[in-house]
């Protein structure tokens, strides 16, 4: 069985590399990787960390390019890659433009598609944008649906997908099993400052398109108010390289006492920082899974989430994007340690860190059954 895994942004890489390594370990599986490089700087560090080598690289990243530019670059580039690789199955992840375009390219080549992290939904087409639509379209294009939770599987069934849905857990938790280490020494210089961890440390990330510009500006103002109200607080904000994000964040937070802005962190630094935090404020998806797995409460800086499981389990709360709403939600936890600790104790709904093994087992069994039948 030849499997071609396609990914291009950092979060996809963190969640696909454990699966790529698992596939490579299996006898009888030929595992190839195509990077689209929708992101460049962010991506390399992750593949290096996991020791994953690219067989193909579409090199689509350009500064400030449009969504159509990314989509067309991936769709066109995949045509040659599929012609040369001839895989039995193409694996894509989640909801990026890379995933959706690669799934469409595989469909055009009549190659089966496996969708990892399938079935997440907000049912609001512009939230998150364009990810909600990317993941719905990818579900229609996919032949195998690897849902992290029963909720994801249920969403797919409600949309009329009846076959080949598997609940596997989230492969992001597989990555955490190898990255979080006691006594870890950070590679980012700013994180080696012990003062950062002498009081309470809050991790902040915000980059979503639908939060640019207003949401991100409100988030920054709330961060500033939190530092003024809680002098022991240290907020660490690794700023996304997107120039549209940096233009908002740097002027608002660069010189604020208590706020440490860093360049994007590599995966080891990020996971180990998260493990040492009191609280996370984020509009990202992956941190909503990683926080509960590491018993760190998460406030989501959005009005909705496609990951309601952890909200229901009690480890995650929606804080919205208004300055007051964010300030109040964070202050409530900073003022009330027992409430914060109760969130930290919630059980993670995203699996046991062995999702990649399940996905590899399912693919191998399906392929063996197909070979036997054919
Ligand atoms: C993309 C994904 C989003 C994911 C996010 C993680 C889509 C539609 N969105 O959003 O789901 O949460 O990645 O980061 O696929 N840039 C660099 N260097 C990098 C990465 C980005 O300079 O390593 C800059 C470029 O100017 C690029 C811009 O960031 O044009 C935006 O990147 P893009 O991939 O279009 O969107 P993201 O907001 O990163």
């Amino acid at each position: 069985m030849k499997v071609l895994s396609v990914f291009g942004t950092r979060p996809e890489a963190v969640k696909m590399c454990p699966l790529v390594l698992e596939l490579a370990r299996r006898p009888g599986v030929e595992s190839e990787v195509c990077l689209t490089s929708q992101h460049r700087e962010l991506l390399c560090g992750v593949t290096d960390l996991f020791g994953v080598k690219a067989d193909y690289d579409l090199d689509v990243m350009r500064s400030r390019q449009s969504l159509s530019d990314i989509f067309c670059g991936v769709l066109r580039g995949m045509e040659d890659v599929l012609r040369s690789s001839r895989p039995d199955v193409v694996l894509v992840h989640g909801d990026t433009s890379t995933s959706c375009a690669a799934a469409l390219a595989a469909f055009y080549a009549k190659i089966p598609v496996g969708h990892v992290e399938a079935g997440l939904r907000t049912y609001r087409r512009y939230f998150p944008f364009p990810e909600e639509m990317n993941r719905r379209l990818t579900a229609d294009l996919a032949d195998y649906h690897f849902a992290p939770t029963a909720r994801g599987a249920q969403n797919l069934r409600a949309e009329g997908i009846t076959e080949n849905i598997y609940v596997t857990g989230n492969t992001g938790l597989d990555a955490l099993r190898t990255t979080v280490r006691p006594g870890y020494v950070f590679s980012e210089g700013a994180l080696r400052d012990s003062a950062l961890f002498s009081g309470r440390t809050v991790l902040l990330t915000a980059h979503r398109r639908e939060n640019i510009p207003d949401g991100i500006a409100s988030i920054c103002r709330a961060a500033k108010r939190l530092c003024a109200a809680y002098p022991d607080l240290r907020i660490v904000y690794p700023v996304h390289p997107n120039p549209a994000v940096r233009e908002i964040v740097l002027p608002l937070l660069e010189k604020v006492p208590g706020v440490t802005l860093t360049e994007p962190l590599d995966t080891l630094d990020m996971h180990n920082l998260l493990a040492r935090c009191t609280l996370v404020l984020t509009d990202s998806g992956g941190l909503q899974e990683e926080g509960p797995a590491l018993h760190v409460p998460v406030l989501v800086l959005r009005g909705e989430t496609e990951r309601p499981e952890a909200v229901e389990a009690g480890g995650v709360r929606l804080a919205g994007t208004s300055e007051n709403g964010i300030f109040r939600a964070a202050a409530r936890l900073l003022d009330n340690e027992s409430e914060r600790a109760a969130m930290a104790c919630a059980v993670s709904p995203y699996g046991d860190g062995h999702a990649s093994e399940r996905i590899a087992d399912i693919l191998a069994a399906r392929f063996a059954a197909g070979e036997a039948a054919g």
Side-chain angles (χ1 to χ4, degrees):
M1 173 174 63
K2 185 167 185 181
V3 183
L4 178 67
S5 300
V6 186
F7 49 94
T9 66
R10 180 173 56 179
E12 292 168 278
V14 173
K15 293 171 168 186
M16 286 297 273
C17 284
L19 177 54
V20 167
L21 294 178
E22 180 61 32
L23 289 165
R25 270 195 288 273
R26 304 266 169 143
V29 177
E30 190 183 346
S31 170
E32 284 193 337
V33 169
C34 174
L35 301 181
T36 65
S37 297
Q38 175 175 335
H39 289 174
R40 172 56 71 194
E41 304 98 88
L42 291 181
L43 189 65
C44 300
V46 186
T47 46
D48 291 350
L49 166 66
F50 286 94
V52 164
K53 296 264 173 301
D55 300 282
Y56 304 92
D57 190 336
L58 304 184
D59 195 20
V60 304
M61 195 190 108
R62 306 286 177 270
S63 191
R64 293 181 192 269
Q65 67 182 336
S66 71
L67 291 170
S68 311
D69 290 332
I70 301 172
F71 200 97
C72 294
V74 174
L75 187 64
R76 190 160 288 288
M78 283 303 296
E79 198 172 347
D80 288 341
V81 170
L82 293 171
R83 202 174 295 122
S84 125
S85 166
R86 299 304 312 161
D88 295 296
V89 59
V90 169
L91 294 182
V92 299
H93 181 276
D95 57 16
T96 65
S97 298
T98 282
S99 323
C100 189
L104 184 60
F107 170 74
Y108 285 164
K110 298 191 176 152
I111 297 169
V113 175
H115 188 198
V116 181
E117 200 179 88
L120 281 63
R121 296 288 184 273
T122 63
Y123 292 110
R124 296 186 66 198
R125 51 204 280 128
Y126 291 107
F127 297 93
F129 173 81
E131 288 82 4
E132 175 72 6
M133 195 50 69
N134 280 345
R135 62 171 88 94
R136 289 200 220 173
L137 296 172
T138 306
D140 268 343
L141 294 165
D143 301 83
Y144 305 110
H145 310 266
F146 302 111
T149 66
R151 169 75 63 107
Q154 189 187 317
N155 290 341
L156 293 167
R157 281 194 286 269
E159 289 166 24
I161 296 171
T162 52
E163 288 182 345
N164 300 331
I165 302 175
Y166 304 94
V167 178
T168 59
N170 197 303
T171 55
L173 272 61
D174 302 16
L176 285 180
R177 286 201 300 126
T178 61
T179 52
V180 177
R181 302 162 189 175
Y184 175 77
V185 178
F186 290 100
S187 57
E188 164 64 50
L191 300 182
R192 291 206 209 113
D193 176 2
S194 56
L196 265 191
F197 301 98
S198 58
R200 292 179 289 182
T201 312
V202 172
L203 170 62
L204 168 63
T205 79
H207 75 279
R208 298 223 82 88
R209 277 168 194 270
E210 69 274 15
N211 279 344
I212 300 173
D214 298 345
I216 298 204
S218 305
I219 291 165
C220 291
R221 284 192 287 268
K224 191 173 174 179
R225 265 174 70 189
L226 284 166
C227 284
Y230 299 91
D232 72 314
L233 212 62
R234 295 289 173 271
I235 296 185
V236 182
Y237 183 175
V239 188
H240 192 285
N242 188 347
V245 173
R246 300 176 85 90
E247 279 159 14
I248 306 165
V249 175
L250 299 187
L252 283 170
L253 288 182
E254 215 163 19
K255 297 196 171 73
V256 173
V259 174
T260 302
L261 300 180
T262 72
E263 290 303 311
L265 299 178
D266 68 34
T267 306
L268 281 180
D269 272 5
M270 185 57 138
H271 287 177
N272 284 284
L273 170 62
L274 176 60
R276 287 159 180 74
C277 278
T278 308
L279 183 64
V280 180
L281 307 180
T282 187
D283 67 359
S284 118
L287 284 166
Q288 295 177 51
E289 297 149 353
E290 291 158 353
L294 294 174
H295 298 294
V296 182
V298 178
L299 295 178
V300 178
L301 309 177
R302 293 166 48 186
E304 74 307 301
T305 179
E306 59 288 325
R307 294 169 169 87
E309 299 91 338
V311 177
E312 286 156 14
V316 171
R317 287 182 188 169
L318 288 176
T321 52
S322 79
E323 179 187 335
N324 280 340
I326 296 166
F327 179 83
R328 274 200 305 271
R332 182 171 166 163
L333 296 178
L334 294 169
D335 287 338
N336 191 338
E337 176 52 24
S338 60
E339 192 170 329
R340 193 204 70 84
M343 279 184 83
C345 290
V347 175
S348 159
Y350 298 112
D352 57 1
H354 295 277
S356 301
E357 288 155 54
R358 288 191 194 95
I359 295 170
D361 284 346
I362 293 160
L363 287 172
R366 294 294 312 228
F367 188 73
E371 290 283 277

